[in-house]
Amino acid sequence: MDKAKPEDERWMRRALELAVGGRGRVEPNPMVGAVIVKDGRVIGEGFHRKFGEAHAEINAMAAAGEACRGATLYVTLSPCSARDKKTPPCTDAVVAAGFARVVVGTVDATQPPALDMLRAARIEVTEGVLRAECERLIAPFMKLKTRGMPWTIAKWAMTADGKIATASGDSKWISCEESRRLVHQWRGEVDAVLIGRGTAEADDPLLTCRAPGGRNPARIVLAGKAHLLLESQLVKTASEAPVIVACSRSANASAVERLRKAGCEVLPLPSVERGVDIEALLRELGARQFTNVLVEGGAEVLGDFFDRRMVDEVRVFIAPRVFGGKGAASPVGGAGVETVAEALSLAEPSMERLGQDILLRGYVQE
């Protein structure tokens, strides 16, 4: 493997910045960014914009034109090389363009060995530049490809003393307007938003994306007995955005039929002691090529996901409020852990200010 050069990280970081422009539109493909550099300056940039459209390298090469010959291509993920895809393999185009060098962040192990093909064409190849950042970028794609399940993001808003509602059940609004606006952006970037029946009844949410230009995700309700109020906002808007009611296979047939007639999809699944088998649900969503699912609660649903080790990422809004109250609800129910040593730890934790709130983010360590 050829060694990295001092300037490689600079240009790979720019490719990473470009890649996130495809978030929420390229799935189930991975987000990818590309930068073409010649004589120390950028001559072309691109990213994968939408599923089924040109990949990052192709967009960057279109911007650079004939100047690609003898240049260096920086790309966050190795060029695609399979010949059974919606678009022609990018390796062929990279070779034909006459690049002198290709620098790759990480390698797509689900593809034929693209880098060997480039080296066979006498192109200098360097791999592993900002590897960790590039692997993080495609983690949802890789989970779907290797495990057949979507990336699950657990999200909640709580007070400084860890409450999601007062003792009387009042919860609107814990987080500030800026935080709620960001949640709508997230909804537009995922394939589905998931809640439990209790949250559906208590909050009567829409779960749609109200961000400008955003798309509505599928809305999933875990309801073991298929009980969901027909007059709820979710059911009444089933024609505007899909509503999937995940229930037990033993759910009442008349309840199932009522929801189907109202426009909901009813998805019968195996049952476990605490309700619907969420692993079976995630595998079904994976089979449908859902890449990202936002789990918004309530506490028992989040607890089940954490207990089953089905959470990949955590996003928590912490508001500068204190509710108190021994009976006030906390965000994560379930069985939990018995000792501190058993606790799930968050890797790469980060915090940022959003209006009055603090947003804590992190990835659940294996």
Side-chain angles (χ1 to χ4, degrees):
M1 182 176 68
D2 296 299
K3 290 184 178 180
K5 297 180 180 180
E7 67 271 20
D8 287 348
E9 286 195 7
R10 173 191 176 188
W11 301 124
M12 188 61 71
R13 202 165 296 284
R14 174 56 183 161
L16 283 163
E17 292 172 356
L18 291 165
V20 296
R23 192 187 303 276
R25 294 175 176 84
V26 303
E27 292 79 7
N29 280 353
M31 292 179 285
V32 183
V35 175
I36 299 172
V37 177
K38 192 172 188 178
D39 299 326
R41 67 181 185 88
V42 174
I43 60 171
E45 293 184 336
F47 62 95
H48 187 22
R49 294 179 177 274
K50 188 177 180 180
F51 179 73
E53 295 186 359
H55 290 183
E57 305 94 316
I58 304 302
N59 288 328
M61 286 188 280
E66 291 297 322
C68 289
R69 192 159 298 278
T72 298
L73 168 66
Y74 292 87
V75 62
T76 55
L77 183 65
S78 56
C80 67
S81 52
R83 298 186 179 276
D84 57 349
K85 301 171 69 67
K86 279 179 169 287
T87 55
C90 292
T91 46
D92 292 358
V94 170
V95 171
F99 286 101
R101 184 170 179 247
V102 173
V103 181
V104 171
T106 189
V107 174
D108 183 355
T110 69
Q111 292 270 318
L115 301 190
D116 290 347
M117 299 177 190
L118 299 182
R119 291 185 177 106
R122 299 186 181 278
I123 297 174
E124 180 185 340
V125 176
T126 301
E127 59 180 292
V129 175
L130 298 184
R131 185 194 305 275
E133 291 92 330
C134 292
E135 288 180 346
R136 177 61 67 199
L137 183 72
I138 64 165
F141 164 77
M142 290 305 299
K143 182 183 179 186
L144 181 62
K145 283 287 188 180
T146 60
R147 297 178 58 192
M149 293 189 288
W151 186 261
T152 57
I153 306 160
K155 165 261 166 186
W156 66 87
M158 67 181 187
T159 62
D161 60 334
K163 306 295 185 181
I164 59 171
T166 66
S168 67
D170 186 27
S171 62
K172 294 185 178 178
W173 295 98
I174 291 176
S175 56
C176 66
E177 185 177 343
E178 291 88 344
S179 297
R180 297 197 299 275
R181 191 180 303 126
L182 181 57
V183 171
H184 283 289
Q185 178 185 318
W186 290 345
R187 288 177 182 170
E189 296 172 348
V190 299
D191 298 301
V193 175
L194 185 151
I195 61 171
R197 182 182 64 86
T199 299
E201 291 187 354
D203 296 345
D204 192 22
L206 271 170
L207 302 180
T208 51
C209 169
R210 270 93 84 188
R215 59 167 186 168
N216 281 329
R219 299 167 295 170
I220 302 174
V221 181
L222 289 177
K225 297 180 180 180
H227 290 169
L228 184 61
L229 297 175
L230 297 183
E231 59 268 27
S232 67
Q233 293 195 88
L234 285 167
V235 176
K236 289 193 295 186
T237 59
S239 62
E240 300 171 25
V243 174
I244 302 172
V245 180
C247 67
S248 166
R249 288 174 177 163
S250 61
N252 182 273
S254 60
V256 168
E257 187 60 23
R258 281 195 296 271
L259 289 173
R260 284 179 172 154
K261 285 183 176 179
C264 301
E265 177 187 353
V266 180
L267 180 61
L269 293 166
S271 299
V272 292
E273 183 179 349
R274 286 165 54 184
V276 175
D277 186 341
I278 58 172
E279 181 173 350
L281 171 61
L282 292 175
R283 292 201 179 279
E284 171 62 29
L285 297 179
R288 300 183 185 197
Q289 296 297 288
F290 282 33
T291 308
N292 296 281
V293 173
L294 184 64
V295 183
E296 294 204 25
E300 289 308 308
V301 169
L302 285 167
D304 198 16
F305 270 81
F306 277 105
D307 285 347
R308 296 287 303 277
R309 299 299 193 261
M310 293 293 172
V311 177
D312 299 297
E313 183 180 348
V314 172
R315 302 177 184 176
V316 183
F317 296 102
I318 305 170
R321 305 169 185 264
V322 175
F323 285 173
K326 186 165 60 174
S330 59
V332 181
V337 299
E338 294 186 3
T339 66
V340 173
E342 295 175 284
L344 290 176
S345 297
L346 297 184
E348 303 171 42
S350 66
M351 302 183 79
E352 63 179 288
R353 182 79 177 266
L354 278 171
Q356 295 182 359
D357 298 342
I358 293 172
L359 171 59
L360 168 66
R361 302 178 69 157
Y363 302 94
V364 177
Q365 291 182 335
E366 291 291 338

